[in-house]
Amino acid sequence: MEFGIGVSKNRDSIKAGKEAVSEALSSIKKPDLIILFASTIFDIEALVSSVFLASSKAPMIGCTTSGEIKDDILFGSSLVIAVKCENGEGIEARGIEDIYKNPREAGQGIVSDEYKKGFLLVLSDGLFPQTSLVVKGINDYLSPCISLGGALAGDDLKRNKTYQFLNGKIFTQGLVSAFFKTSARIKTSLRHGFSPKSPPLRVTSSKENVIYQIDSHRASKVYLEFLGLSEDELAFGSPIDIKEVRNSPIGIPQTTGDYKIKSFLEFRKDGSIACDSYIPENSIIRILGQNPSSLINAGHEAISDAISEIHPKIVFLFPSSYRMLILGEDAKNEIDEIKKETKDVPMIGFYGYGEIGPLRTHRSDFHNKSIGVLAIE
């Protein structure tokens, strides 16, 4: 499998698409797949059409971002990856236009019985609060011989609307995927760098993704008081704007010794907390904390794990946009540390609103505030 990469910051959306495709195809002729990661600064319809036509309508997937990565952190760019198969290989692009109606069936719908061995790359709407069900649906049908990885789209931190691309079409509540039928060695890895700061707490009342009570008290009261905050002092709304909350998610302990992060979507006036995925009643949770070193070390650990057994031709990075907000200027240090490990191997990807990958297991799942790595030999 061969790869070509192109990038453009041209503010003219049509020209940006043509420039990025031209650069990507300078070394790859007649690609079997085009992958587009793009900032919402562009006219998305014009950009996607430009890329699709400039690539002679090659199969195409992609999504919008909250920051692009091409060996460094970029903003306001269109990033095109051209993929060329070798003998015996193939790529199939699929998509679901609306994952909101039945998320688990949507996940099942992108998996074919013909997928026997290879890799499935998934890009999904970044604002859907039940992405964990989509991933469960994928895992329902996906062979254990197939690696799964990907990320949720972004929209430059506006959190208003994300876009997904499939063969020149544009979705806003969708899921797109590319199945790589290949014998090439592929390794996915994911880490986050958060660790427990609170004693174990019990979710005593919850429904789906909403926590009503922790240790038989109002969920928001228990959580905020641990952080030294008061409900009376806090304007209920989006947690992304509250630094202490943004930096301190809750985690559910895993058999591996890790914690699966549950990110907050909303604090509600009744004292409940809406999370990004399902929270079973009677779950044991911990409030997590971090520092720049622990996050950067986690990124280093993820890339070290991904390339420990293979010599990749390309490395995809899918870090959470929350990491950028938490790390601030140190976000570049995380990417720089990873680049030291990849050396001259092309490193591309984007900051999004969620990650799909394996956290020290063989099974991929939906995660947040993490960094996912995909290495292809």
Side-chain angles (χ1 to χ4, degrees):
M1 195 167 289
E2 298 179 24
F3 302 90
I5 302 171
V7 64
S8 176
K9 285 194 170 186
N10 196 314
R11 292 283 73 87
D12 183 300
S13 300
I14 294 175
K15 291 180 179 179
K18 290 180 178 179
E19 288 177 2
V21 170
S22 177
E23 183 180 357
L25 297 187
S26 62
S27 58
I28 300 291
K29 306 301 180 184
K30 295 183 179 179
D32 294 293
L33 180 71
I34 292 291
I35 305 173
L36 170 63
F37 302 142
S39 166
T40 54
I41 195 171
F42 295 105
D43 179 328
I44 296 301
E45 186 173 342
L47 177 67
V48 170
S49 177
S50 175
V51 169
F52 191 51
L53 293 175
S55 63
S56 300
K57 298 185 178 181
M60 169 189 175
I61 66 166
C63 65
T64 51
T65 71
S66 289
E68 305 75 55
I69 297 170
K70 183 180 181 294
D71 299 323
D72 200 350
I73 302 175
L74 309 175
F75 296 100
S77 69
S78 61
L79 179 61
V80 168
I81 303 98
V83 186
K84 180 69 174 177
C85 294
E86 296 177 351
N87 293 336
E89 296 179 328
I91 299 176
E92 181 183 8
R94 285 190 171 197
I96 303 293
E97 188 169 359
D98 188 353
I99 60 175
Y100 285 59
K101 292 179 181 177
N102 194 321
R104 195 155 185 166
E105 284 188 7
Q108 294 168 353
I110 65 163
V111 181
S112 168
D113 292 337
E114 297 179 0
Y115 294 173
K116 302 299 183 184
K117 187 176 181 180
F119 170 72
L120 185 64
L121 173 64
V122 173
L123 304 170
S124 187
D125 174 31
L127 301 177
F128 183 46
Q130 296 291 345
T131 301
S132 60
L133 293 180
V134 177
V135 179
K136 286 183 185 296
I138 295 172
N139 281 324
D140 285 344
Y141 284 85
L142 196 65
S143 165
C145 297
I146 298 173
S147 300
L148 170 65
L152 276 58
D155 65 348
D156 294 299
L157 301 179
K158 295 189 288 290
R159 305 193 75 85
N160 178 43
K161 182 186 292 185
T162 72
Y163 299 85
Q164 308 81 50
F165 320 135
L166 175 69
N167 298 335
K169 297 179 182 178
I170 300 173
F171 305 151
T172 58
Q173 297 181 340
L175 167 72
V176 297
S177 69
F179 174 66
F180 293 70
K181 178 186 175 183
T182 177
S183 58
R185 293 197 297 173
I186 296 169
K187 184 67 182 293
T188 55
S189 185
L190 183 141
R191 300 289 189 272
H192 54 66
F194 288 79
S195 58
K197 298 301 180 185
S198 77
L201 306 168
R202 185 179 295 276
V203 176
T204 46
S205 178
S206 67
K207 184 177 181 180
E208 296 179 347
N209 66 315
V210 180
I211 303 174
Y212 291 96
Q213 290 187 346
I214 298 174
D215 287 346
S216 300
H217 297 284
R218 286 163 56 100
S220 60
K221 182 176 187 295
V222 173
Y223 172 79
L224 292 170
E225 284 186 352
F226 181 81
L227 298 184
L229 301 174
S230 166
E231 288 181 308
D232 295 334
E233 298 171 345
L234 191 67
F236 287 91
S238 175
I240 196 172
D241 298 324
I242 307 163
K243 180 180 178 181
E244 295 89 345
V245 173
R246 191 169 64 217
N247 294 0
S248 305
I250 61 171
I252 296 181
Q254 306 294 293
T255 56
T256 58
D258 254 304
Y259 286 81
K260 185 176 181 183
I261 290 178
K262 301 288 184 177
S263 192
F264 299 141
L265 300 177
E266 181 185 11
F267 287 96
R268 297 178 174 177
K269 293 181 179 179
D270 64 358
S272 64
I273 305 174
C275 300
D276 63 354
S277 55
Y278 182 66
I279 305 284
E281 201 161 84
N282 292 316
S283 295
I284 298 300
I285 62 173
R286 305 281 291 271
I287 298 173
L288 307 181
Q290 44 65 47
N291 57 56
S293 293
S294 69
L295 296 186
I296 292 171
N297 288 340
H300 187 272
E301 185 179 339
I303 187 62
S304 297
D305 178 53
I307 66 174
S308 60
E309 301 172 0
I310 66 175
H311 299 89
K313 294 179 180 177
I314 193 168
V315 170
F316 287 80
L317 291 186
F318 299 119
S320 168
S321 59
Y322 278 105
R323 297 177 79 83
M324 186 194 305
L325 293 173
I326 294 170
L327 285 169
E329 293 182 358
D330 284 327
K332 188 178 186 306
N333 293 337
E334 179 176 47
I335 302 302
D336 288 344
E337 286 299 311
I338 292 172
K339 184 59 182 173
K340 289 178 183 177
E341 294 295 314
T342 61
K343 298 177 182 176
D344 58 347
V345 176
M347 187 176 71
I348 55 97
F350 69 91
Y351 284 89
Y353 293 157
E355 304 75 54
I356 300 170
L359 181 59
R360 299 185 206 274
T361 66
H362 294 293
R363 184 183 177 91
S364 291
D365 206 344
F366 168 68
H367 298 272
N368 214 319
K369 291 186 167 69
S370 304
I371 180 165
V373 178
L374 160 65
I376 304 176
E377 191 168 64

